[in-house]
């Protein structure tokens, strides 16, 4: 069977010693002969010697090829185009190929095997940190910016310092165990890191870079305590919370406004802190959160209460010149959005009698208050953005229960005003 393949000369150079000068071939071609050759209706050859020839194609292109005998077969191998490969270079490469044939080695098979070996070596050199970046790009593109940022922080803080520079194939269960045991005082973080390593290696296995997953054997080493629901506040506790927020003089104004709006809008912390002014229509009292920031991957509209609009108008005087509603700084520049930990630290310092309260508890507090006062479950679920997972369906239900949701958030704001009066 006739084969036509151009060898990888970089690989041949790496796997063969330079051949001795071959005096047994009487090369015949000259540049003037090749240059003068005109295309014909069918391809034809200009023989140089020792199986080396130039094939003149019907298109006018000229290609160096090598035809050799190996057993009963007569394959041919493409060396490359002329004049990109000159006569001297073509004959040097021809000599390398003939040396392989003399030793009984098929140049085509040799090149394929050499390339496979080089690819295997390249795969073996892929570091954990570099592949982790590829895994994030390949598999987390649909997750929120907050989720991706948290994943990167975990890897950079706890995983990469130990195995980031190691080749994937060099990472062993003992390395994963060392990472997990160093975090045993924070078991949830320890197990999260182990799970991330496992997911990254699962992806590496699918990419044929490794054959086994070192994180699987470590599963269960750290016992993670059962999850507890975020504590929500009674009306009395909510009044204490709100009064403490109003009494804060050391915290930044942006943080105080963010804490209040977190309760008044019932959104998640990540949806609030990354809010941009372009998402708000204060005249219509609406806030449209884009799909990229929503946990359920569907856009969400918040119908702003009068109190929320007042807060946002006051806040706009401070930060409206920038992109973000809640920047880290607002004098002398737009700044970046407040960090993921800002509201956590602020609420923890309030000391209003519920030390275990967290920002996420504001959603439960508002939802409980609404349900206990007659608002329908479906309305509250939509306020919490617990909506249809299908993006197609969600697109058609964007304004579902719009009047009820607006009424609910206004009632919530009025109720907060009443209980702190």
């Amino acid at each position: 069977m006739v084969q036509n393949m151009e060898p990888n000369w970089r690989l041949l150079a790496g796997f063969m010693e330079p051949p001795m000068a071959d005096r047994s071939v009487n090369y015949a071609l000259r540049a003037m002969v090749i240059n003068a050759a005109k295309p014909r209706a069918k391809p034809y050859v200009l023989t140089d010697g020792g199986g080396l020839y130039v094939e003149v194609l019907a298109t006018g292109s000229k290609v160096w090829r090598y035809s050799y005998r190996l057993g009963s077969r007569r394959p041919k191998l493409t060396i490359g185009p002329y004049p990109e490969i000159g006569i001297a270079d073509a004959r040097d490469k021809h000599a390398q190929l003939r040396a392989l044939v003399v030793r009984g080695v098929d140049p085509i098979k040799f090149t394929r095997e050499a390339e496979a070996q080089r690819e295997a070596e390249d795969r073996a050199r892929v570091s954990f940190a570099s592949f982790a970046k590829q895994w994030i790009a390949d598999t987390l593109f649909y997750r929120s910016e907050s989720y991706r940022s948290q994943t990167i922080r975990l890897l950079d803080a706890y995983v990469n310092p130990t195995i980031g520079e190691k080749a994937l194939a060099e990472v062993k269960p003992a390395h994963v165990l060392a990472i997990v045991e160093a975090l045993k005082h924070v078991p949830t973080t320890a197990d999260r890191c182990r799970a991330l390593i496992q997911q990254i290696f699962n992806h590496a296995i699918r990419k044929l870079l490794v054959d086994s997953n070192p994180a699987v054997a470590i599963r269960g080493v750290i016992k993670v305590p059962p999850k507890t629901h975020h504590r929500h506040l009674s009306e009395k506790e909510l009044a204490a919370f709100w009064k403490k927020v109003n009494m804060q003089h050391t915290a930044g104004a942006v943080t105080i406004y963010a804490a209040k709006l977190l309760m008044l809008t019932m959104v998640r912390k990540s949806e609030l802190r990354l809010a941009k002014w372009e998402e708000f229509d204060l005249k219509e009292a609406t806030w449209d959160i884009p799909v990229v920031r929503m946990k359920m991957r569907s856009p969400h509209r918040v119908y702003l209460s009068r109190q929320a609009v007042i807060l946002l108008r006051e806040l706009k005087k401070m930060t409206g010149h920038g992109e973000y509603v809640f920047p880290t700084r607002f004098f002398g520049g737009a700044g970046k959005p407040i960090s993921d930990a800002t509201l956590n630290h602020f609420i923890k310092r309030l000391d209003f009698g519920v030390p275990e309260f967290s920002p996420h508890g504001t959603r439960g507090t508002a939802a409980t208050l609404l349900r206990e006062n007659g608002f329908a479950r479906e309305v509250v679920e939509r306020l919490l953005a617990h909506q249809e997972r299908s993006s197609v369906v969600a697109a058609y239900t964007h304004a579902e229960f719009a009047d009820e949701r607006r009424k609910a958030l206004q009632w919530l704001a009025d109720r907060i005003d009443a209980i702190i009066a």
Side-chain angles (χ1 to χ4, degrees):
M1 182 178 70
V2 175
Q3 299 185 54
N4 186 355
M5 176 179 176
E6 183 174 349
N8 188 319
W9 297 108
R10 178 176 64 86
L11 289 172
L12 279 176
F15 286 88
M16 282 187 61
E17 296 180 0
M20 300 294 291
D22 192 335
R23 303 294 184 185
S24 63
V25 177
N26 294 318
Y27 294 113
L29 282 177
R30 295 183 180 181
M32 60 182 296
V33 174
I34 302 174
N35 294 337
K38 303 299 181 183
R40 300 174 185 171
K42 294 183 178 181
Y44 64 97
V45 301
L46 304 173
T47 302
D48 193 24
L52 179 66
Y53 62 92
V54 172
E55 183 172 6
V56 183
L57 305 179
T59 59
S61 298
K62 298 164 185 178
V63 183
W64 288 104
R65 303 196 197 280
Y66 172 41
S67 178
Y68 57 96
R69 184 178 297 281
L70 200 64
S72 60
R73 296 184 301 116
R74 185 83 183 191
K76 67 177 180 179
L77 185 149
T78 299
I79 293 176
Y82 175 89
E84 286 83 348
I85 297 179
I87 294 176
D89 287 340
R91 289 170 180 171
D92 286 344
K93 293 171 183 177
H94 171 243
Q96 293 179 359
L97 296 170
R98 287 189 76 244
L100 287 172
V101 175
V102 168
R103 286 156 41 191
V105 178
D106 186 343
I108 294 176
K109 182 180 179 182
F110 178 88
T111 301
R112 287 173 178 165
E113 291 176 349
E115 181 132 17
Q117 181 177 340
R118 182 62 58 88
E119 288 177 355
E121 291 174 354
D122 289 343
R123 289 197 301 270
R125 285 192 290 268
V126 175
S127 72
F128 177 87
S130 64
F131 187 75
K133 292 180 181 178
Q134 181 182 337
W135 169 75
I136 290 170
D138 290 349
T139 67
L140 300 188
F141 60 89
Y142 69 97
R143 302 302 296 264
S144 67
E145 179 183 343
S146 175
Y147 183 90
R148 289 194 302 272
S149 297
Q150 183 185 47
T151 299
I152 293 169
R153 282 197 300 273
L154 285 172
L155 290 171
D156 288 345
Y158 306 118
V159 179
N160 287 337
T162 301
I163 63 174
E165 297 305 314
K166 291 185 181 296
L168 285 170
E170 294 176 352
V171 179
K172 305 300 180 186
H175 298 126
V176 183
L177 179 61
I179 293 170
V180 170
E181 289 193 330
L183 295 168
K184 60 185 178 182
H185 59 290
V186 279
T188 301
T189 302
D191 193 62
R192 173 67 176 140
C193 289
R194 187 211 58 79
L196 284 175
I197 297 171
Q198 181 173 324
Q199 292 173 56
I200 291 166
F201 269 93
N202 282 342
H203 193 54
I205 291 171
R206 289 190 291 268
K207 293 284 189 178
L208 306 181
L209 296 178
V210 292
D211 299 321
S212 61
N213 193 324
V216 172
I218 311 303
R219 188 164 44 198
V221 167
I222 297 292
K223 299 301 180 184
V224 180
K227 290 184 178 179
T228 57
H229 292 291
H230 293 276
R231 171 78 148 79
H232 69 270
L233 305 177
S234 66
E235 287 199 9
K236 183 177 180 180
E237 291 168 337
L238 176 56
F241 168 81
W242 207 267
K243 288 176 181 177
K244 279 287 186 177
V245 171
N246 285 332
M247 291 169 59
Q248 292 305 302
H249 303 296
T250 57
V254 167
T255 305
I256 294 172
Y257 279 74
K260 291 183 175 182
L261 286 165
L262 191 65
M263 181 74 74
L264 293 174
T265 59
M266 296 178 64
V267 298
R268 297 176 181 88
K269 182 177 61 173
S270 61
E271 296 158 7
L272 180 88
R273 73 179 189 85
L274 298 175
K276 298 179 180 180
W277 281 115
E278 64 185 23
E279 300 164 4
F280 290 84
D281 186 337
L282 297 184
K283 184 177 180 180
E284 296 296 325
T286 58
W287 172 21
D288 288 318
I289 307 175
V291 62
V292 68
R293 238 175 33 252
M294 296 301 300
K295 182 178 180 180
M296 304 299 285
R297 315 313 300 162
S298 296
H300 180 60
R301 172 169 289 177
V302 178
Y303 295 93
L304 302 167
S305 62
R306 293 188 300 275
Q307 291 87 332
V309 171
I310 290 171
L311 289 174
L312 285 163
R313 290 192 187 279
E314 292 175 356
L315 191 57
K316 195 165 188 179
K317 296 175 184 177
M318 294 182 281
T319 71
H321 63 283
E323 179 182 15
Y324 292 102
V325 179
F326 307 100
T328 54
R329 58 189 176 88
F330 48 89
F331 294 113
K336 296 180 180 180
I338 57 176
S339 74
D340 187 61
T342 299
L343 283 171
N344 295 60
H345 295 324
F346 173 73
I347 289 176
K348 192 175 184 66
R349 293 196 308 268
L350 286 181
D351 189 24
F352 65 100
V354 186
E356 67 272 29
F357 188 65
S358 69
H360 196 79
T362 59
R363 286 162 54 82
T365 298
T368 302
L369 200 55
L370 290 172
R371 291 289 288 121
E372 288 177 346
N373 285 275
F375 287 90
R377 174 186 172 278
E378 294 81 3
V379 174
V380 175
E381 288 295 295
R382 284 306 306 258
L383 288 168
L384 294 170
H386 292 167
Q387 55 194 35
E388 173 61 53
R389 288 180 178 270
S390 167
S391 59
V392 175
V393 175
Y396 287 99
T397 59
H398 185 71
E400 187 180 1
F401 302 120
D403 291 340
E404 293 90 338
R405 286 155 63 191
R406 188 184 290 278
K407 179 181 177 182
L409 288 181
Q410 186 58 59
W411 182 92
L412 174 66
D414 291 341
R415 185 63 177 172
I416 292 173
D417 285 347
I419 64 176
I420 66 173

